Protein backbone atom coordinates (compact mmCIF):
# COMPACT_ATOMS: atom_id res chain seq x y z
CA UNK A 1 0.00 0.00 0.00
CA UNK A 2 1.44 3.38 -1.00
CA UNK A 3 1.34 6.55 1.12
CA UNK A 4 -1.71 8.06 -0.56
CA UNK A 5 -3.74 4.84 -0.31
CA UNK A 6 -2.71 4.46 3.34
CA UNK A 7 -3.85 8.01 4.13
CA UNK A 8 -7.16 7.36 2.39
CA UNK A 9 -7.75 4.26 4.52
CA UNK A 10 -10.53 5.28 6.89
CA UNK A 11 -9.16 3.49 9.96
CA UNK A 12 -5.63 4.81 9.46
CA UNK A 13 -6.80 8.36 8.79
CA UNK A 14 -9.03 8.35 11.90
CA UNK A 15 -6.17 7.01 14.03
CA UNK A 16 -3.84 9.78 12.83
CA UNK A 17 -6.39 12.52 13.48
CA UNK A 18 -7.30 11.29 16.94
CA UNK A 19 -3.73 10.68 18.15
CA UNK A 20 -1.62 13.34 16.46
CA UNK A 21 -1.02 15.15 19.74
CA UNK A 22 0.08 11.97 21.51
CA UNK A 23 3.58 10.65 22.22
CA UNK A 24 4.64 8.63 19.15
CA UNK A 25 6.84 6.33 21.23
CA UNK A 26 3.93 5.42 23.47
CA UNK A 27 1.64 4.90 20.48
CA UNK A 28 4.13 2.46 18.99
CA UNK A 29 3.67 0.21 22.03
CA UNK A 30 -0.13 0.05 21.72
CA UNK A 31 -1.55 -3.40 21.25
CA UNK A 32 -5.22 -2.50 21.01
CA UNK A 33 -7.28 -0.08 18.99
CA UNK A 34 -5.14 -0.49 15.89
CA UNK A 35 -7.21 -3.00 13.91
CA UNK A 36 -7.16 -2.05 10.24
CA UNK A 37 -4.59 0.68 10.91
CA UNK A 38 -1.35 0.88 8.98
CA UNK A 39 0.53 1.64 12.18
CA UNK A 40 4.04 2.38 10.78
CA UNK A 41 2.55 4.83 8.31
CA UNK A 42 0.27 6.38 10.93
CA UNK A 43 3.14 6.90 13.36
CA UNK A 44 5.21 8.57 10.63
CA UNK A 45 2.31 10.89 9.81
CA UNK A 46 1.83 11.83 13.45
CA UNK A 47 5.54 12.54 13.89
CA UNK A 48 5.57 14.53 10.65
CA UNK A 49 2.57 16.63 11.67
CA UNK A 50 4.10 17.34 15.08
CA UNK A 51 7.29 18.61 13.42
CA UNK A 52 5.28 20.60 10.86
CA UNK A 53 3.40 22.53 13.56
CA UNK A 54 6.46 24.71 14.09
CA UNK A 55 8.51 24.11 10.94
CA UNK A 56 5.68 24.11 8.36
CA UNK A 57 2.56 25.69 9.91
CA UNK A 58 0.73 26.04 6.58
CA UNK A 59 1.18 22.33 5.88
CA UNK A 60 0.13 21.41 9.44
CA UNK A 61 -3.04 23.48 9.04
CA UNK A 62 -3.97 21.85 5.71
CA UNK A 63 -6.19 18.76 5.80
CA UNK A 64 -4.98 15.71 3.94
CA UNK A 65 -1.27 16.57 3.71
CA UNK A 66 0.96 13.49 3.64
CA UNK A 67 4.37 13.66 5.29
CA UNK A 68 7.47 11.87 3.96
CA UNK A 69 9.96 9.72 5.93
CA UNK A 70 11.64 11.40 8.89
CA UNK A 71 14.92 12.10 7.08
CA UNK A 72 13.12 14.08 4.37
CA UNK A 73 11.27 16.07 7.05
CA UNK A 74 14.57 16.89 8.73
CA UNK A 75 16.24 17.95 5.49
CA UNK A 76 13.43 20.04 4.02
CA UNK A 77 13.38 23.82 4.26
CA UNK A 78 11.33 25.53 6.92
CA UNK A 79 8.31 27.57 5.86
CA UNK A 80 10.13 30.75 6.95
CA UNK A 81 13.08 30.14 4.61
CA UNK A 82 10.80 28.96 1.78
CA UNK A 83 8.79 32.18 1.99
CA UNK A 84 12.04 34.15 1.88
CA UNK A 85 13.01 32.38 -1.36
CA UNK A 86 9.59 33.20 -2.79
CA UNK A 87 10.24 36.90 -2.16
CA UNK A 88 13.47 36.61 -4.14
CA UNK A 89 11.75 34.75 -6.97
CA UNK A 90 8.85 37.17 -7.36
CA UNK A 91 11.27 39.96 -8.30
CA UNK A 92 12.17 38.16 -11.52
CA UNK A 93 10.16 38.32 -14.72
CA UNK A 94 10.19 34.67 -15.81
CA UNK A 95 6.81 32.97 -16.19
CA UNK A 96 8.14 29.44 -15.67
CA UNK A 97 9.69 27.88 -12.57
CA UNK A 98 11.65 24.64 -12.73
CA UNK A 99 12.78 23.01 -9.49
CA UNK A 100 15.38 20.42 -10.47
CA UNK A 101 15.69 18.92 -6.95
CA UNK A 102 12.10 18.75 -5.73
CA UNK A 103 12.45 16.66 -2.55
CA UNK A 104 9.47 17.01 -0.21
CA UNK A 105 8.51 20.11 -2.22
CA UNK A 106 8.46 22.78 0.48
CA UNK A 107 10.48 25.39 -1.41
CA UNK A 108 8.62 24.56 -4.61
CA UNK A 109 5.18 24.93 -3.03
CA UNK A 110 5.89 28.45 -1.79
CA UNK A 111 7.80 29.65 -4.88
CA UNK A 112 5.40 28.19 -7.46
CA UNK A 113 2.59 30.77 -6.97
CA UNK A 114 5.02 33.46 -8.20
CA UNK A 115 4.94 31.92 -11.70
CA UNK A 116 2.39 31.09 -14.39
CA UNK A 117 3.61 27.50 -14.54
CA UNK A 118 5.88 25.49 -12.25
CA UNK A 119 7.61 22.15 -12.84
CA UNK A 120 8.78 19.96 -9.95
CA UNK A 121 11.46 17.39 -10.86
CA UNK A 122 12.36 14.57 -8.46
CA UNK A 123 13.79 11.11 -9.13
CA UNK A 124 12.29 9.49 -6.00
CA UNK A 125 8.92 8.04 -7.06
CA UNK A 126 7.58 8.06 -3.49
CA UNK A 127 8.34 11.75 -3.01
CA UNK A 128 6.78 12.52 -6.41
CA UNK A 129 3.53 10.82 -5.40
CA UNK A 130 3.49 12.67 -2.08
CA UNK A 131 4.24 16.00 -3.79
CA UNK A 132 1.51 15.53 -6.40
CA UNK A 133 -1.02 14.78 -3.65
CA UNK A 134 0.10 17.65 -1.40
CA UNK A 135 0.15 20.24 -4.18
CA UNK A 136 -3.48 19.38 -4.83
CA UNK A 137 -4.32 19.73 -1.12
CA UNK A 138 -2.59 23.13 -1.08
CA UNK A 139 -4.55 24.31 -4.11
CA UNK A 140 -1.52 24.67 -6.41
CA UNK A 141 -3.16 24.34 -9.81
CA UNK A 142 -0.26 25.58 -11.94
CA UNK A 143 2.12 22.75 -11.10
CA UNK A 144 3.50 19.74 -12.93
CA UNK A 145 5.31 16.81 -11.29
CA UNK A 146 8.07 15.09 -13.27
CA UNK A 147 9.54 11.87 -11.92
CA UNK A 148 13.05 11.89 -13.29
CA UNK A 149 16.63 12.98 -12.73
CA UNK A 150 17.08 16.75 -12.54
CA UNK A 151 20.38 16.67 -14.40
CA UNK A 152 18.81 14.68 -17.25
CA UNK A 153 15.95 17.15 -17.32
CA UNK A 154 18.43 20.02 -17.65
CA UNK A 155 20.15 18.27 -20.55
CA UNK A 156 16.75 17.87 -22.25
CA UNK A 157 16.08 21.57 -21.80
CA UNK A 158 19.46 22.37 -23.31
CA UNK A 159 18.67 20.17 -26.30
CA UNK A 160 15.32 21.90 -26.77
CA UNK A 161 16.93 25.33 -26.70
CA UNK A 162 19.51 24.17 -29.25
CA UNK A 163 16.78 22.80 -31.54
CA UNK A 164 14.44 25.76 -31.08
CA UNK A 165 11.58 23.48 -29.98
CA UNK A 166 8.26 25.13 -29.08
CA UNK A 167 6.44 22.03 -27.85
CA UNK A 168 4.07 22.46 -24.88
CA UNK A 169 5.03 21.29 -21.40
CA UNK A 170 4.84 17.54 -20.91
CA UNK A 171 6.15 15.43 -18.06
CA UNK A 172 6.71 12.56 -20.44
CA UNK A 173 8.74 14.68 -22.84
CA UNK A 174 10.73 16.61 -20.22
CA UNK A 175 9.82 19.82 -22.03
CA UNK A 176 8.82 23.38 -21.18
CA UNK A 177 6.01 25.58 -22.54
CA UNK A 178 8.10 27.47 -25.06
CA UNK A 179 11.74 27.81 -26.03
CA UNK A 180 11.17 31.57 -25.99
CA UNK A 181 10.45 31.41 -22.26
CA UNK A 182 13.66 31.18 -20.28
CA UNK A 183 12.82 29.61 -16.91
CA UNK A 184 13.71 30.54 -13.36
CA UNK A 185 15.53 27.46 -12.04
CA UNK A 186 15.83 26.48 -8.39
CA UNK A 187 18.36 23.88 -7.19
CA UNK A 188 19.01 22.49 -3.72
CA UNK A 189 21.79 19.90 -4.19
CA UNK A 190 21.60 16.90 -1.85
CA UNK A 191 24.28 17.23 0.82
CA UNK A 192 24.68 13.51 1.51
CA UNK A 193 26.83 10.96 -0.27
CA UNK A 194 25.83 7.49 -1.44
CA UNK A 195 26.35 6.16 2.10
CA UNK A 196 24.13 8.80 3.68
CA UNK A 197 27.02 10.76 5.18
CA UNK A 198 26.84 14.56 5.18
CA UNK A 199 28.99 16.46 2.69
CA UNK A 200 29.50 20.20 2.36
CA UNK A 201 31.72 20.86 -0.66
CA UNK A 202 29.63 21.87 -3.68
CA UNK A 203 31.31 19.36 -5.99
CA UNK A 204 30.50 16.57 -3.50
CA UNK A 205 26.75 17.29 -3.59
CA UNK A 206 24.21 15.85 -6.01
CA UNK A 207 23.94 17.22 -8.61
CA UNK A 208 27.35 18.85 -8.96
CA UNK A 209 26.12 22.32 -9.89
CA UNK A 210 29.64 23.63 -10.42
CA UNK A 211 30.04 21.35 -13.43
CA UNK A 212 26.57 22.39 -14.66
CA UNK A 213 26.80 26.16 -14.20
CA UNK A 214 27.45 27.02 -17.86
CA UNK A 215 24.62 24.78 -19.02
CA UNK A 216 22.28 26.29 -16.42
CA UNK A 217 23.14 29.78 -17.61
CA UNK A 218 22.53 28.76 -21.23
CA UNK A 219 19.00 27.58 -20.39
CA UNK A 220 17.76 29.83 -17.57
CA UNK A 221 17.06 33.52 -17.14
CA UNK A 222 17.94 33.17 -13.46
CA UNK A 223 19.08 30.41 -11.11
CA UNK A 224 18.62 30.36 -7.35
CA UNK A 225 21.00 27.95 -5.67
CA UNK A 226 20.63 26.78 -2.06
CA UNK A 227 23.90 25.82 -0.37
CA UNK A 228 25.10 24.77 3.06
CA UNK A 229 25.42 27.63 5.58
CA UNK A 230 28.79 26.10 6.51
CA UNK A 231 30.34 27.32 3.26
CA UNK A 232 32.43 30.47 2.98
CA UNK A 233 30.24 32.85 0.95
CA UNK A 234 33.21 34.64 -0.66
CA UNK A 235 34.54 31.38 -2.11
CA UNK A 236 31.05 30.28 -3.18
CA UNK A 237 30.47 33.54 -5.06
CA UNK A 238 33.83 33.27 -6.80
CA UNK A 239 33.20 29.63 -7.72
CA UNK A 240 30.10 30.72 -9.66
CA UNK A 241 31.79 33.66 -11.36
CA UNK A 242 31.03 35.37 -13.61
CA UNK A 243 27.35 34.61 -13.00
CA UNK A 244 26.86 35.37 -9.30
CA UNK A 245 24.70 38.46 -8.76
CA UNK A 246 23.36 38.09 -5.22
CA UNK A 247 24.36 36.31 -2.02
CA UNK A 248 21.72 35.84 0.67
CA UNK A 249 22.69 34.64 4.14
CA UNK A 250 19.44 33.49 5.74
CA UNK A 251 18.96 32.96 9.48
CA UNK A 252 15.86 32.06 11.47
CA UNK A 253 15.72 32.76 15.18
CA UNK A 254 19.35 33.92 15.01
CA UNK A 255 20.51 30.56 13.65
CA UNK A 256 22.13 30.56 10.22
CA UNK A 257 20.11 28.19 8.02
CA UNK A 258 20.93 28.75 4.37
CA UNK A 259 23.33 30.32 1.92
CA UNK A 260 21.55 31.33 -1.29
CA UNK A 261 23.21 32.41 -4.52
CA UNK A 262 21.29 34.12 -7.31
CA UNK A 263 22.93 33.60 -10.70
CA UNK A 264 22.24 35.33 -13.99
CA UNK A 265 23.68 34.89 -17.51
CA UNK A 266 23.59 38.65 -18.12
CA UNK A 267 27.08 40.23 -18.28
CA UNK A 268 28.26 41.79 -15.02
CA UNK A 269 29.83 45.21 -15.43
CA UNK A 270 33.13 45.60 -13.56
CA UNK A 271 33.20 48.27 -10.89
CA UNK A 272 36.95 48.79 -10.96
CA UNK A 273 40.17 47.14 -12.07
CA UNK A 274 42.35 45.40 -9.52
CA UNK A 275 46.07 44.78 -9.71
CA UNK A 276 47.03 42.11 -12.21
CA UNK A 277 44.24 40.57 -14.28
CA UNK A 278 41.59 40.50 -11.53
CA UNK A 279 38.41 42.50 -11.93
CA UNK A 280 36.37 43.73 -8.99
CA UNK A 281 32.64 43.33 -9.57
CA UNK A 282 29.83 44.48 -7.35
CA UNK A 283 27.33 41.92 -6.10
CA UNK A 284 24.37 42.29 -3.75
CA UNK A 285 24.93 40.84 -0.28
CA UNK A 286 21.83 40.40 1.87
CA UNK A 287 21.87 39.36 5.53
CA UNK A 288 18.43 38.21 6.67
CA UNK A 289 17.39 37.13 10.15
CA UNK A 290 13.61 36.84 10.49
CA UNK A 291 12.36 40.37 9.75
CA UNK A 292 15.82 41.95 10.03
CA UNK A 293 17.32 42.70 6.62
CA UNK A 294 20.71 44.33 6.08
CA UNK A 295 22.17 44.59 2.60
CA UNK A 296 24.94 46.29 0.72
CA UNK A 297 26.80 46.16 -2.56
CA UNK A 298 30.06 44.27 -2.09
CA UNK A 299 32.96 44.64 -4.48
CA UNK A 300 35.66 41.96 -4.66
CA UNK A 301 37.59 39.91 -7.18
CA UNK A 302 35.29 37.47 -8.98
CA UNK A 303 37.87 36.33 -11.52
CA UNK A 304 36.71 32.77 -12.32
CA UNK A 305 40.16 31.44 -13.21
CA UNK A 306 41.23 31.98 -9.61
CA UNK A 307 38.01 30.70 -8.05
CA UNK A 308 38.72 27.92 -5.51
CA UNK A 309 36.23 25.23 -4.58
CA UNK A 310 34.23 26.55 -1.60
CA UNK A 311 35.19 24.76 1.59
CA UNK A 312 33.63 24.45 5.00
CA UNK A 313 34.47 27.56 6.96
CA UNK A 314 36.30 26.47 10.14
CA UNK A 315 35.61 28.20 13.42
CA UNK A 316 36.71 31.84 13.19
CA UNK A 317 37.31 31.51 9.44
CA UNK A 318 35.32 34.66 8.77
CA UNK A 319 37.24 36.83 11.18
CA UNK A 320 36.61 39.96 9.19
CA UNK A 321 37.64 42.92 11.28
CA UNK A 322 36.00 46.22 12.08
CA UNK A 323 37.93 49.44 12.18
CA UNK A 324 38.09 50.89 15.69
CA UNK A 325 38.30 54.56 16.56
CA UNK A 326 39.73 56.30 19.62
CA UNK A 327 39.93 54.36 22.92
CA UNK A 328 36.91 54.12 25.21
CA UNK A 329 36.79 55.30 28.78
CA UNK A 330 34.94 53.27 31.42
CA UNK A 331 32.67 56.25 32.10
CA UNK A 332 31.35 56.45 28.55
CA UNK A 333 30.82 52.68 28.34
CA UNK A 334 28.50 52.38 31.35
CA UNK A 335 24.99 53.38 30.33
CA UNK A 336 25.70 52.87 26.62
CA UNK A 337 24.06 50.28 24.40
CA UNK A 338 25.95 47.07 23.61
CA UNK A 339 24.96 45.96 20.10
CA UNK A 340 25.35 42.28 19.22
CA UNK A 341 25.06 41.49 15.46
CA UNK A 342 22.78 38.64 14.42
CA UNK A 343 23.99 35.33 12.98
CA UNK A 344 23.76 36.44 9.34
CA UNK A 345 25.89 39.54 9.94
CA UNK A 346 28.42 37.39 11.79
CA UNK A 347 28.53 34.98 8.85
CA UNK A 348 28.91 37.83 6.34
CA UNK A 349 31.67 39.54 8.32
CA UNK A 350 30.69 43.03 7.11
CA UNK A 351 31.42 44.75 10.41
CA UNK A 352 32.92 48.00 9.15
CA UNK A 353 29.91 48.59 6.90
CA UNK A 354 27.62 47.83 9.84
CA UNK A 355 29.40 50.38 12.05
CA UNK A 356 29.21 53.05 9.36
CA UNK A 357 25.53 52.40 8.62
CA UNK A 358 24.34 52.63 12.23
CA UNK A 359 26.93 54.97 13.71
CA UNK A 360 28.17 52.47 16.29
CA UNK A 361 31.75 51.87 17.44
CA UNK A 362 33.53 48.52 17.49
CA UNK A 363 34.58 47.39 20.97
CA UNK A 364 37.73 45.89 19.47
CA UNK A 365 38.99 44.79 16.10
CA UNK A 366 38.00 41.10 16.44
CA UNK A 367 35.35 41.20 19.17
CA UNK A 368 32.38 41.85 16.83
CA UNK A 369 30.51 43.81 19.50
CA UNK A 370 29.54 47.45 19.09
CA UNK A 371 28.71 50.43 21.29
CA UNK A 372 25.98 52.96 20.71
CA UNK A 373 25.21 56.01 22.83
CA UNK A 374 21.60 54.83 23.14
CA UNK A 375 19.32 52.24 21.60
CA UNK A 376 20.09 52.03 17.87
CA UNK A 377 16.95 51.88 15.73
CA UNK A 378 17.00 49.13 13.11
CA UNK A 379 20.23 47.50 14.27
CA UNK A 380 20.28 43.90 12.94
CA UNK A 381 20.80 42.03 16.20
CA UNK A 382 20.18 42.28 19.92
CA UNK A 383 20.89 45.29 22.12
CA UNK A 384 21.69 45.50 25.83
CA UNK A 385 22.08 48.34 28.30
CA UNK A 386 25.55 48.26 29.88
CA UNK A 387 25.14 48.39 33.66
CA UNK A 388 28.80 47.87 34.53
CA UNK A 389 32.22 46.88 33.27
CA UNK A 390 34.91 44.80 34.95
CA UNK A 391 38.32 43.40 34.15
CA UNK A 392 39.30 39.90 35.23
CA UNK A 393 40.95 41.25 38.39
CA UNK A 394 39.63 39.13 41.29
CA UNK A 395 38.87 42.07 43.59
CA UNK A 396 37.16 44.01 40.81
CA UNK A 397 35.11 40.96 39.85
CA UNK A 398 33.87 40.57 43.43
CA UNK A 399 32.88 44.23 43.60
CA UNK A 400 31.18 44.46 40.19
CA UNK A 401 29.36 41.12 40.41
CA UNK A 402 28.23 41.51 44.01
CA UNK A 403 24.63 40.35 44.37
CA UNK A 404 24.60 38.49 41.04
CA UNK A 405 24.03 34.77 41.55
CA UNK A 406 23.08 33.73 38.02
CA UNK A 407 23.58 35.15 34.55
CA UNK A 408 23.50 34.42 30.83
CA UNK A 409 27.11 34.32 29.64
CA UNK A 410 28.49 34.84 26.14
CA UNK A 411 32.11 35.12 25.03
CA UNK A 412 33.60 36.86 21.99
CA UNK A 413 37.35 37.06 21.33
CA UNK A 414 38.03 35.79 24.84
CA UNK A 415 40.40 33.04 26.08
CA UNK A 416 37.76 31.10 28.09
CA UNK A 417 34.63 29.30 26.95
CA UNK A 418 31.28 30.36 28.39
CA UNK A 419 31.15 27.22 30.57
CA UNK A 420 34.68 27.72 31.86
CA UNK A 421 33.98 31.36 32.69
CA UNK A 422 30.74 30.45 34.45
CA UNK A 423 32.63 27.94 36.58
CA UNK A 424 35.30 30.52 37.46
CA UNK A 425 32.68 33.13 38.37
CA UNK A 426 30.60 30.54 40.29
CA UNK A 427 27.36 31.67 38.69
CA UNK A 428 24.25 29.70 37.78
CA UNK A 429 22.78 29.92 34.29
CA UNK A 430 19.77 32.13 33.52
CA UNK A 431 18.19 35.21 35.00
CA UNK A 432 17.87 38.74 33.61
CA UNK A 433 21.59 39.58 33.75
CA UNK A 434 23.70 39.10 30.60
CA UNK A 435 27.49 38.99 30.78
CA UNK A 436 29.57 39.50 27.63
CA UNK A 437 33.22 38.55 28.04
CA UNK A 438 35.45 39.96 25.34
CA UNK A 439 38.62 41.87 24.55
CA UNK A 440 38.55 45.67 24.59
CA UNK A 441 41.65 47.72 23.79
CA UNK A 442 43.87 44.72 24.49
CA UNK A 443 42.32 43.90 27.88
CA UNK A 444 40.00 41.03 28.79
CA UNK A 445 36.80 42.57 30.16
CA UNK A 446 33.24 41.61 31.02
CA UNK A 447 30.26 43.80 30.17
CA UNK A 448 27.46 43.50 32.73
CA UNK A 449 24.22 44.17 30.86
CA UNK A 450 20.46 43.82 30.74
CA UNK A 451 18.31 43.48 27.57
CA UNK A 452 16.89 46.63 25.99
Amino acid sequence: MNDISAMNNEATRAFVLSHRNDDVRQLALRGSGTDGVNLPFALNQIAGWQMARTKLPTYAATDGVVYPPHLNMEQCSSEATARYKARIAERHQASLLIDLTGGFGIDFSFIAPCFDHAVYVERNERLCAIARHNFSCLGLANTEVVCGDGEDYLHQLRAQVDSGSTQPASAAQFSRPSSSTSPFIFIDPARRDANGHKVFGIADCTPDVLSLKDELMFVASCVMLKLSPMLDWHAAARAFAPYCREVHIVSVGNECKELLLVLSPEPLAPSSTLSGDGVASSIRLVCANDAEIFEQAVSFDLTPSFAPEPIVAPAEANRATAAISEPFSADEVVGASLCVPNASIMKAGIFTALAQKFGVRAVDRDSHLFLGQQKVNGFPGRQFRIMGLTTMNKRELRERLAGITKANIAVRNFPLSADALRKRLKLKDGGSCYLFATTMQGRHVIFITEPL
Side-chain angles (χ1 to χ4, degrees):
M1 181 182 294
N2 62 35
D3 296 282
I4 311 307
S5 298
M7 180 57 89
N8 290 333
N9 176 274
E10 185 175 346
T12 300
R13 184 178 177 85
F15 184 89
V16 170
L17 290 175
S18 61
H19 293 286
R20 62 183 182 179
N21 288 302
D22 296 345
D23 187 318
V24 175
R25 293 168 297 183
Q26 293 298 320
L27 288 173
L29 301 176
R30 286 179 62 121
S32 60
T34 59
D35 292 343
V37 175
N38 184 331
L39 192 58
F41 172 82
L43 295 176
N44 184 71
Q45 294 308 298
I46 292 169
W49 181 84
Q50 290 176 357
M51 184 181 295
R53 280 183 299 180
T54 54
K55 188 175 185 178
L56 307 168
T58 296
Y59 273 60
T62 302
D63 290 337
V65 164
V66 172
Y67 297 99
H70 181 70
L71 180 61
N72 298 107
M73 280 296 292
E74 279 190 333
Q75 293 178 338
C76 75
S77 294
S78 66
E79 180 168 327
T81 58
R83 288 188 181 277
Y84 183 86
K85 298 184 194 76
R87 291 197 293 272
I88 296 175
E90 66 186 2
R91 291 190 285 104
H92 295 271
Q93 301 302 311
S95 61
L96 171 66
L97 164 69
I98 299 177
D99 184 343
L100 292 176
T101 52
F104 181 29
I106 301 303
D107 287 318
F108 178 86
S109 66
F110 285 96
I111 300 174
C114 302
F115 298 85
D116 296 334
H117 188 73
V119 180
Y120 159 107
V121 184
E122 170 57 51
R123 61 186 179 183
N124 185 310
E125 293 183 7
R126 182 179 184 184
L127 291 178
C128 285
I130 291 174
R132 189 179 292 108
H133 170 84
N134 288 344
F135 297 159
S136 177
C137 292
L138 293 164
L140 299 176
N142 66 331
T143 60
E144 175 185 358
V145 173
V146 174
C147 187
D149 182 80
E151 191 168 344
D152 290 342
Y153 191 100
L154 176 63
H155 298 332
Q156 292 284 348
L157 289 175
R158 169 64 186 267
Q160 285 188 7
V161 173
D162 283 337
S163 66
S165 170
T166 57
Q167 294 178 336
S170 167
Q173 295 174 328
F174 273 16
S175 62
R176 59 179 180 167
S178 168
S179 61
S180 63
T181 304
S182 295
F184 181 102
I185 292 180
F186 175 72
I187 309 181
D188 176 11
R191 296 193 289 272
R192 289 183 182 270
D193 61 19
N195 297 317
H197 299 136
K198 288 186 178 181
V199 296
F200 298 100
I202 296 176
D204 298 324
C205 297
T206 306
D208 173 10
V209 286
L210 275 178
S211 67
L212 298 173
K213 66 178 182 179
D214 291 328
E215 187 171 9
L216 285 165
M217 290 295 94
F218 183 81
V219 169
S221 62
C222 183
V223 172
M224 180 160 53
L225 176 61
K226 175 182 170 183
L227 300 173
S228 166
M230 297 294 291
L231 294 176
D232 172 43
W233 71 266
H234 301 85
R238 290 191 182 101
F240 286 93
Y243 306 122
C244 185
R245 299 295 178 271
E246 301 175 13
V247 175
H248 296 254
I249 301 172
V250 185
S251 296
V252 177
N254 206 32
E255 181 181 350
C256 196
K257 294 292 188 181
E258 297 177 356
L259 175 64
L260 304 175
L261 301 188
V262 178
L263 314 178
S264 171
E266 296 300 320
L268 184 64
S271 58
S272 63
T273 302
L274 300 177
S275 59
D277 297 327
V279 176
S281 299
S282 181
I283 65 172
R284 182 172 177 244
L285 174 63
V286 183
C287 299
N289 176 58
D290 300 330
E292 297 174 344
I293 305 292
F294 179 74
E295 64 175 276
Q296 72 169 134
V298 178
S299 183
F300 64 96
D301 188 3
L302 285 176
T303 308
S305 59
F306 296 103
E309 159 69 4
I311 59 173
V312 178
E316 312 254 348
N318 277 335
R319 290 189 48 152
T321 59
I324 56 176
S325 52
E326 66 277 4
F328 302 103
S329 68
D331 291 340
E332 67 178 317
V333 167
V334 176
S337 172
L338 184 69
C339 302
V340 184
N342 65 38
S344 289
I345 298 291
M346 293 296 294
K347 174 71 176 177
I350 47 176
F351 303 112
T352 296
L354 185 74
Q356 294 172 346
K357 169 76 173 180
F358 293 98
V360 293
R361 299 166 61 188
V363 167
D364 203 273
R365 193 171 300 277
D366 294 311
S367 292
H368 309 327
L369 298 170
F370 298 84
L371 294 178
Q373 293 182 345
Q374 54 189 356
K375 186 171 183 179
V376 182
N377 292 331
F379 184 86
R382 298 191 68 185
Q383 296 184 59
F384 300 81
R385 178 72 63 204
I386 300 174
M387 310 304 294
L389 177 68
T390 176
T391 67
M392 292 300 291
N393 178 273
K394 290 183 179 180
R395 177 180 297 179
E396 191 175 350
L397 282 171
R398 284 197 301 269
E399 293 176 355
R400 297 288 190 270
L401 299 180
I404 299 176
T405 59
K406 59 182 180 179
N408 304 278
I409 297 178
V411 297
R412 294 274 180 88
N413 191 24
F414 194 77
L416 297 178
S417 68
D419 288 339
L421 180 59
R422 184 185 310 282
K423 184 177 180 180
R424 177 176 294 191
L425 298 178
K426 299 178 181 178
L427 294 175
K428 295 180 180 179
D429 188 24
S432 59
C433 179
Y434 286 74
L435 303 183
F436 288 87
T438 189
T439 299
M440 184 175 73
Q441 300 164 191
R443 296 186 305 161
H444 299 314
V445 299
I446 298 176
F447 288 100
I448 305 166
T449 75
E450 63 180 13
L452 277 175

